[in-house]
Amino acid sequence: MSLKRQPFSFYIANKINSILACYTIEINFYMKQLVFALIFLQSLFLSAQNFEESWTGYFSYVSVKAISQGNDKIYVAAENAIFTYDFSTQEFKTVSTINGLSGKQISTIHYSENHNLLIIGYENGLIEIVKDDENDVLSVVDILDKQTIPPNTKRINHFYEYNGEVYISTQYGISVYDLGALEFGDTYFIGDFGAQIDITQTTVLDDFIYATSSTDGVRSALVENENLIDYEQWSAVVSGGYKGVQTLGNEIFLARNDNQIFSYSSGNGLNFETQMNSSVVNFEVHLDLLTITTTNSIHAYSENFILESEATSLLEYDFILQAGLAYNNTFYLGTNELGVLVVPFGNNQAQQILPDGPLLNKPFAIDASPGRLWVVFGEVDVNFNPYFPNGTLSKRGISNLKEEAWTNIDYEDLIGQLGVEDVTDISYVTINPENSNEVYMSSYHKGLLKIEEQTPSILYNETNSPLSIPNNNEGIGIRLYGSDFDREENLWFVQSRANEGLIKLNPNGQFQFTDISTIIEAEDEQALTEIKVSREGYPFFGSANNGLIGYNPTTNVLNKIGEGLGTGGLPSNNVRALAFDNQNRLWIGTIKGLRVLYGVGDFFDGGETQDAQAIIILEDGVAQELLYEQSITDIEVDGSNNKWVATATSGVFYFSANGQETLLRFTSDNSPLPSDNVQDIAIDGQSGTVYFATTDGLVAYNGSSTAPREDLESVYAFPNPVRPDFYGDVTIDGLTAKANVKITDVTGNLVYETTSEGGSVRWDTTAFGKYRVASGVYLVLVSTDDALETKVIKIMIIR
């Protein structure tokens, strides 16, 4: 039985509940499974929003999880995004969170040529459907939201299309989805006594459907049986654990967990065909070929299991495979680090198919300058431990975006160019604001890396600089993290576990060390974290255990504040983020909330300890602390003195200059953020673009707040004209600092006036917030704060 419409299914469910209430009968396990199947899936659809107008995605497509083919294209699933490659035009097209994908981990895909649909399955049970050539994304959340299926058994393992329906192999069983109606049919729990078991693949041959389980062998049933929700209709035909089942010609082929391949027939049982020499990662029939992909090889078989071609090694490429497909006498190898490699049958030379993007979808730290972005991927955990659970350090390269093109330096090339053995855990990046060609990167184990003109030039370490390993402990290494330039182009940075933990590198390449052991015990301090330099030249840096520390280089005075009233007012001693705003106020992000230090000049006066202040806002008439108990990972100040705040669990907040107004809030639910764990933010002050490094990828918001200009030559407004379907704010950009902006109608009536904080201001197209202005031409009169320069531009508004 298959229930297609919600009202009828609810009627059945309510009827059953009434019977239970009236007669209190005992229902056996089989009846419970039947009831569950009747009311299981009701095709809950969510049409995803497209964000292409205001966002840009910078995903990595190097790690390929699945490949499908159709409509003269290949469809490639990377970790959490899709790309297509058109054979005829040789053009790429990408689909990501920008187009409405969830950004979660993809497990499998299938392209239906009959319906022009790409079906995407996820590790968490989500299914998304993309209409070919339209990029409209439909989210099917039935499995994901089903409470009666444990969260760890919702993985979508495989799609098999048959007679207009897709059989969905999952960790709990099989669900059927109608591609024409875009709705679910039945769900089959086919384990012993109707138990939920992990189904890896399904296929149909003649009158029978076959299903493999990773633990419970192979089961089959008559495919047209209308009662397949009854587990007793399914027969166990082979025992053991199997990775997949496929139909090739008139035969069934099986991939067993031990990587042996068998053919199967009901009359003869299993027949051994071959033993693969490494783990089978993909087992799929496409058209008339069975493709068997292992971690290091790919093989294509025609009917009767005749080997047509194989590829076990390639010139110029070392690879680990995760997916594969044979089509049109060509192999398409889905690799772990190289995207797709295309290899014609009988050849060992490959063509790489890979959209432009960064090295990985694990950006840890970023920094931006006009038209450029640097990304590093080394990481430390929440306790600033650089070691992975297996005891290794992160050996990852670096990526640079310049003029919308990526330059990637993988780890082997990086250490080769530097002439060093290791430069692990590169976890922080700082661009010289006076020279964007000079970039410094902190290794949380090996020292300070300098980049010049996009080329690694030197790694400062214990062999070529005054930097040293504390107590000669190689396990600790040179643990550098935060860094910042002062106005004299000195680079200040911090080294954990060292008495001389505050370090200055001047423009001539000379190091100066400051002993901080008078204020904290270096060996007991878990980590020194972020560092920012005030306009006076005072470096302030955070710590994991000792709160906020500041240093006055003129008087050689150190001071610190910590948790609790009277000792600093911080909500936690674990300080993760710092930012000076345009008024020289220090914004402090901790793992338990936000504080602001309003007078950094008094920090070293030796008087009463100055407490940092919470920002109190009114929410529904009740006073609340802004970002109470939030774990803050970064704070950035834009050209309008507004604050972007990243969190570890709640996405990104965009606050007004004083923090009293929340201007924007981005999460993975309402924006293209692929994760709510945002590790870093960087702002291109010239364009206003705001980059977000999340644990699942890099995206950018096309912001409008820019850094102030030197003059008014480039003032402009956008959008202009303002059309009837636009309901946002008009941005006036290209302003100097503290520019006076007046907007009038053509008769001279003033409708708006403000002073710029940075290089741009916004106008909501109202007359001082009271009513929307009428259609017409409006004059924007701009003058510098000293009134020596003026500019007039026009805005056309069409209602």
Side-chain angles (χ1 to χ4, degrees):
M1 183 181 295
S2 176
L3 300 184
K4 304 295 187 182
R5 293 178 175 81
Q6 194 175 67
F8 181 61
S9 64
F10 281 168
Y11 169 80
I12 294 292
N14 289 334
K15 204 69 174 175
I16 292 171
N17 288 334
S18 297
I19 293 171
L20 290 174
C22 293
Y23 297 101
T24 62
I25 60 174
E26 179 180 358
I27 301 178
N28 61 29
F29 188 84
Y30 167 73
M31 281 300 296
K32 290 179 181 178
Q33 294 301 308
L34 176 60
V35 170
F36 183 76
L38 286 173
I39 63 175
F40 173 47
L41 298 174
Q42 307 301 329
S43 297
L44 304 176
F45 298 145
L46 297 173
S47 293
Q49 183 177 350
N50 190 297
F51 297 94
E52 289 178 293
E53 289 188 0
S54 55
W55 290 76
T56 305
Y58 296 106
F59 290 91
S60 171
Y61 296 90
V62 299
S63 182
V64 174
K65 300 300 183 182
I67 303 174
S68 190
Q69 190 279 324
N71 195 21
D72 202 33
K73 302 173 185 175
I74 60 167
Y75 298 80
V76 181
E79 292 167 310
N80 57 355
I82 300 289
F83 75 86
T84 63
Y85 180 74
D86 191 306
F87 293 129
S88 58
T89 65
Q90 298 184 344
E91 292 179 341
F92 292 104
K93 187 176 182 180
T94 60
V95 186
S96 69
T97 60
I98 306 301
N99 313 100
L101 293 188
S102 71
K104 306 308 178 186
Q105 294 297 306
I106 297 173
S107 55
T108 188
I109 60 172
H110 169 72
Y111 179 73
S112 171
E113 203 155 19
N114 293 329
H115 295 84
N116 296 323
L117 296 175
L118 178 66
I119 311 159
I120 307 167
Y122 288 85
E123 298 280 348
N124 65 359
L126 176 66
I127 295 173
E128 291 182 320
I129 299 174
V130 183
K131 181 73 172 178
D132 197 17
D133 296 326
E134 294 183 10
N135 277 14
D136 290 333
V137 179
L138 178 70
S139 296
V140 184
V141 298
D142 304 65
I143 296 172
L144 174 66
D145 289 348
K146 196 61 187 174
Q147 298 296 317
T148 48
I149 299 177
N152 62 341
T153 62
K154 293 182 178 183
R155 183 183 193 270
I156 308 299
N157 293 325
H158 184 255
F159 296 113
Y160 177 73
E161 185 175 353
Y162 177 74
N163 282 353
E165 295 182 317
V166 166
Y167 290 84
I168 307 169
S169 299
T170 74
Q171 288 180 309
Y172 60 79
I174 304 166
S175 291
V176 185
Y177 191 80
D178 188 318
L179 291 176
L182 294 179
E183 63 183 15
F184 273 98
D186 288 330
T187 290
Y188 311 138
F189 304 108
I190 66 173
D192 294 340
F193 306 106
Q196 298 180 19
I197 60 174
D198 181 25
I199 302 299
T200 52
Q201 288 187 351
T202 60
T203 192
V204 173
L205 178 62
D206 298 330
D207 298 329
F208 287 88
I209 178 173
Y210 295 84
T212 48
S213 168
S214 62
T215 56
D216 290 74
V218 184
R219 299 178 187 234
S220 70
L222 286 169
V223 70
E224 299 299 334
N225 187 333
E226 294 185 355
N227 196 29
L228 289 182
I229 59 173
D230 178 3
Y231 72 90
E232 292 185 336
Q233 305 300 311
W234 294 78
S235 301
V237 296
V238 178
S239 61
Y242 287 83
K243 297 182 177 183
V245 56
Q246 294 291 311
T247 300
L248 180 62
N250 295 315
E251 292 184 281
I252 292 291
F253 288 90
L254 301 165
R256 204 163 69 180
N257 285 354
D258 60 4
N259 305 307
Q260 292 188 34
I261 309 301
F262 297 88
S263 56
Y264 170 81
S265 66
S266 58
N268 300 318
L270 287 180
N271 181 49
F272 174 78
E273 298 290 349
T274 189
Q275 170 75 59
M276 309 311 293
N277 63 359
S278 58
S279 180
V280 174
V281 294
N282 204 76
F283 189 69
E284 197 77 36
V285 166
H286 180 61
L287 300 179
D288 56 354
L289 290 177
L290 169 63
T291 306
I292 303 177
T293 308
T294 74
T295 54
N296 59 19
S297 64
I298 188 168
H299 314 259
Y301 296 88
S302 59
E303 288 188 37
N304 301 315
F305 206 68
I306 297 173
L307 180 64
E308 296 294 333
S309 187
E310 62 185 357
T312 58
S313 62
L314 300 175
L315 295 176
E316 300 182 5
Y317 292 103
D318 292 324
F319 55 82
I320 297 174
L321 298 183
Q322 300 181 130
L325 181 72
Y327 166 70
N328 196 21
N329 295 321
T330 304
F331 286 121
Y332 296 88
L333 284 67
T335 71
N336 180 56
E337 294 177 321
L338 300 169
V340 175
L341 299 178
V342 183
V343 184
F345 282 6
N347 203 322
N348 67 347
Q349 291 185 319
Q351 171 196 354
Q352 187 181 38
I353 297 180
L354 180 63
D356 198 22
L359 279 174
L360 300 167
N361 279 325
K362 295 287 184 184
F364 187 76
I366 56 178
D367 197 16
S369 61
R372 299 188 183 188
L373 178 76
W374 283 95
V375 187
V376 297
F377 306 94
E379 60 182 290
V380 296
D381 66 17
V382 68
N383 298 313
F384 280 86
N385 176 20
Y387 287 94
F388 290 143
N390 61 4
T392 63
L393 297 161
S394 66
K395 296 184 176 183
R396 298 168 179 170
I398 56 181
S399 293
N400 175 232
L401 178 68
K402 182 180 180 182
E403 297 175 356
E404 294 305 306
W406 285 95
T407 299
N408 295 313
I409 305 174
D410 66 26
Y411 187 76
E412 294 302 323
D413 285 343
L414 178 61
I415 61 176
Q417 291 182 45
L418 291 168
V420 298
E421 292 185 359
D422 285 312
V423 54
T424 56
D425 294 282
I426 302 174
S427 51
Y428 204 91
V429 54
T430 301
I431 302 171
N432 186 341
E434 301 300 324
N435 177 11
S436 60
N437 290 318
E438 182 179 271
V439 183
Y440 287 89
M441 298 179 178
S442 301
S443 164
Y444 202 66
H445 207 255
K446 291 295 182 179
L448 183 67
L449 171 62
K450 184 179 182 180
I451 308 284
E452 295 179 286
E453 299 286 351
Q454 293 186 293
T455 302
S457 61
I458 188 171
L459 176 67
Y460 292 109
N461 57 28
E462 74 279 8
T463 68
N464 61 8
S465 78
L467 294 174
S468 62
I469 300 174
N471 301 319
N472 295 315
N473 188 333
E474 290 290 343
I476 292 177
I478 302 175
R479 295 193 172 185
L480 306 184
Y481 196 70
S483 59
D484 191 31
F485 280 92
D486 64 20
R487 295 189 174 189
E488 305 299 323
E489 289 192 67
N490 299 303
L491 179 72
W492 293 84
F493 58 99
V494 289
Q495 180 180 355
S496 300
R497 306 292 185 91
N499 286 335
E500 294 183 325
L502 176 61
I503 307 166
K504 181 177 76 172
L505 176 63
N506 70 24
N508 297 321
Q510 297 174 323
F511 289 80
Q512 179 180 321
F513 295 79
T514 300
D515 190 341
I516 61 174
S517 63
T518 58
I519 201 162
I520 65 171
E521 291 289 339
E523 292 185 0
D524 295 334
E525 174 52 61
Q526 193 170 310
L528 303 181
T529 59
E530 185 83 280
I531 182 170
K532 293 296 177 183
V533 184
S534 72
R535 64 177 58 160
E536 302 92 345
Y538 304 152
F540 285 80
F541 53 98
S543 66
N545 306 112
N546 282 276
L548 175 72
I549 301 128
Y551 176 62
N552 184 334
T554 304
T555 61
N556 197 32
V557 171
L558 287 159
N559 193 19
K560 71 174 182 177
I561 59 173
E563 184 177 348
L565 295 177
T567 56
L570 300 180
S572 167
N573 282 327
N574 195 330
V575 175
R576 295 302 177 99
L578 298 172
F580 279 100
D581 68 10
N582 296 348
Q583 296 173 309
N584 206 33
R585 295 170 175 173
L586 182 59
W587 292 64
I588 307 164
T590 79
I591 63 167
K592 290 187 177 181
L594 178 72
R595 291 293 185 270
V596 181
L597 190 64
Y598 287 97
V600 298
D602 300 329
F603 194 81
F604 309 100
D605 64 5
E608 186 177 345
T609 300
Q610 178 186 6
D611 280 351
Q613 302 298 310
I615 294 178
I616 305 301
I617 60 173
L618 287 177
E619 189 170 305
D620 298 327
V622 179
Q624 303 281 344
E625 179 183 316
L626 185 66
L627 296 180
Y628 177 72
E629 291 289 320
Q630 288 283 350
S631 180
I632 297 170
T633 54
D634 191 32
I635 304 171
E636 298 292 336
V637 181
D638 70 12
S640 297
N641 204 30
N642 297 327
K643 314 305 187 293
W644 288 97
V645 181
T647 70
T649 58
S650 303
V652 173
F653 297 83
Y654 183 44
F655 298 118
S656 60
N658 59 8
Q660 291 296 315
E661 183 181 359
T662 301
L663 304 175
L664 293 169
R665 167 85 186 282
F666 295 140
T667 69
S668 58
D669 291 330
N670 69 3
S671 79
L673 287 179
S675 169
D676 289 327
N677 187 349
V678 180
Q679 307 199 92
D680 204 4
I681 302 174
I683 302 173
D684 182 333
Q686 181 170 292
S687 67
T689 301
V690 186
Y691 297 92
F692 304 109
T694 81
T695 53
D696 290 322
L698 175 71
V699 294
Y701 173 68
N702 302 327
S704 59
S705 294
T706 59
R709 305 298 199 269
E710 295 296 325
D711 54 46
L712 299 177
E713 288 300 317
S714 57
V715 173
Y716 69 101
F718 65 93
N720 191 11
V722 178
R723 302 189 183 278
D725 58 350
F726 181 77
Y727 291 93
D729 294 346
V730 173
T731 299
I732 297 136
D733 200 4
L735 305 174
T736 57
K738 299 181 180 178
N740 180 257
V741 180
K742 294 181 180 180
I743 302 176
T744 72
D745 61 20
V746 291
T747 62
N749 295 310
L750 185 67
V751 296
Y752 183 71
E753 183 176 12
T754 189
T755 300
S756 67
E757 288 275 2
S760 62
V761 297
R762 289 181 173 186
W763 176 41
D764 61 3
T765 70
T766 69
F768 294 104
K770 295 180 180 179
Y771 57 86
R772 297 175 72 202
V773 297
S775 296
V777 175
Y778 291 81
L779 303 179
V780 181
L781 314 173
V782 184
S783 62
T784 57
D785 62 336
D786 56 10
L788 294 178
E789 187 177 354
T790 61
K791 183 83 170 184
V792 179
I793 63 171
K794 298 177 182 180
I795 300 174
M796 169 68 77
I797 293 182
I798 307 169
R799 295 301 191 192

